[in-house]
């Protein structure tokens, strides 16, 4: 049985522009509305920057561990991924959203009946509504890009024809860059450089790409592109387009993440917070949208294989510093979080 697709936010956005009325289910409660709650720092970027071309290793390790311990996020510059590869990833993704028909998009969606074995894969809108029944102003496409054995090509667009090549090319570069990041993060915890990578499944580490599509919105002051959340990944490595909107919570303030051309945004996710026994912090973040500009983003969630048990690394726990998290299979962690059960 095929599910009737819910209308995309992209389609709703066009209708809303014509009518000028925002459907009520998108209007956030006052305490969440962006204009009431955002702090503007002006031109100075407050998010730490990590420069992979830094040749002083000690300095680099220091910078990354400080960023992960205080903010849980940083801008990664000089990461070695050619700008052309990033541009190709972006243009094929944008073409999918803007040039393919609703039917072509639906072909990339998960056809499994809701409530059954439905996975978080393919094209669509956020499956769950918030507790208060509110909806987010975004559509997405989700699919694995590595390892090859994990990929379900049903979720990969057939159009544009270069979609596959561009994504495969990006996966190769991204693995190199994220490998370096995980090594530096391990060293920053005083561990051997492969410690985090191995604890996350080594060669079995999964790379799960999401494309977020946030159409322009007539009332950006009232909606959110994504509500406040922490990623359940180990780390997330995100390519933004030039339209800002991502905000991170720091000292109870929402701070805008500035757009830096060619930079990648790295988030510490829940699994690294757990492995590090809380020394690195999974960052709370949300997304705001714009009145006349389209935001898109390409986060890749690096996740352990489903059956792998993740808990605080034994090297990091002792009498003074007891384990703060209970070890559990990644799939069980994910299930509890997605169903809002106690973790
Ligand atoms: O669009 C962004 O910058 C953030 C996306 C995000 O947080 C997510 O997809 O989990
Ligand atoms: Fe996120």
């Amino acid at each position: 049985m095929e599910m009737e697709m819910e209308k995309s936010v992209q389609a709703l956005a066009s209708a809303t522009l014509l009518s000028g009325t925002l459907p009520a289910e998108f209007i956030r409660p006052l305490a969440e509305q962006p204009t009431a709650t955002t702090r503007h720092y002006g031109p100075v970027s407050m998010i730490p920057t990590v420069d992979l071309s830094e040749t002083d290793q000690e300095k680099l390790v220091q910078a990354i561990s400080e960023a992960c311990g205080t903010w849980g996020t940083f801008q990664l510059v000089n990461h070695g991924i050619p700008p052309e590869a990033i541009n190709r990833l972006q243009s094929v993704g944008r073409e999918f959203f803007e040039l393919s028909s609703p039917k072509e998009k639906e072909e990339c969606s998960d056809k499994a009946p809701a409530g059954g074995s439905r996975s978080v894969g393919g094209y669509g809108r956020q499956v769950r509504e918030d507790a208060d029944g509110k909806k987010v102003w975004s559509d997405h496409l989700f699919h694995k890009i590595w390892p090859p054995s994990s990929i379900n090509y049903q979720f990969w667009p057939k159009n544009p024809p270069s979609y596959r090549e561009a994504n495969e090319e990006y996966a190769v570069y991204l693995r190199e860059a994220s490998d370096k990041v995980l090594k530096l993060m391990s060293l920053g915890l005083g561990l051997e450089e492969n410690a985090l990578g191995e604890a996350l499944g080594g060669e079995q580490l999964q790379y799960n790409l999401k494309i977020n599509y946030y159409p322009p919105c007539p009332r950006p002051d009232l909606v959110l592109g994504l509500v406040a959340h922490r990623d359940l990944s180990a780390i997330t490595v995100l390519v933004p387009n030039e339209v800002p909107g991502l905000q991170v919570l720091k000292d109870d303030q929402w701070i805008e993440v500035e757009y830096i051309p060619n930079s990648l945004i790295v988030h510490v996710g829940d699994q690294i917070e757990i492995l590090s026994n809380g020394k690195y912090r999974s960052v709370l973040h949300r997304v705001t949208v714009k009145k006349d500009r389209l935001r898109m983003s390409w986060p890749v969630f690096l996740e352990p294989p489903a059956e792998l048990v993740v808990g605080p690394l034994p090297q990091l726990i002792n009498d003074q510093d007891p384990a703060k998290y209970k070890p559990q299979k990644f799939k069980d962690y994910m299930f509890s979080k997605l169903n809002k059960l106690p973790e």
Side-chain angles (χ1 to χ4, degrees), residues 210 212 226-227 229-232 236 238 246 267 283 285-287 299 301:
K210 186 182 179 202
N212 288 302
L226 286 180
V227 297
H229 67 280
R230 294 182 176 85
D231 293 344
L232 52 74
T236 305
L238 179 146
L246 175 62
H267 290 330
V283 62
H285 55 287
R286 69 179 187 182
V287 181
F301 303 97

Side-chain angles (χ1 to χ4, degrees), residues 281-324:
R281 312 305 304 265
S282 181
V283 62
L284 190 66
H285 55 287
R286 69 179 187 182
V287 181
T288 62
V289 301
K290 297 277 185 282
K291 194 177 172 74
D292 319 294
R293 300 170 79 194
L294 166 75
R295 176 175 174 83
M296 287 185 73
S297 66
W298 287 258
V300 174
F301 303 97
L302 276 64
E303 296 170 354
E307 298 293 333
L308 194 75
V309 174
V310 179
L313 286 169
Q315 306 92 297
L316 298 178
I317 51 183
N318 52 49
D319 289 346
Q320 282 76 50
D321 218 346
K324 297 193 181 82

Side-chain angles (χ1 to χ4, degrees), residues 122 141-145 152 155-157 163 167 207-209:
L141 175 70
F142 242 123
H143 63 66
K144 298 260 166 75
I145 54 171
N152 178 353
F155 297 143
W156 287 43
Y163 187 89
N167 277 261
Y207 289 66
N208 207 353
L209 171 79

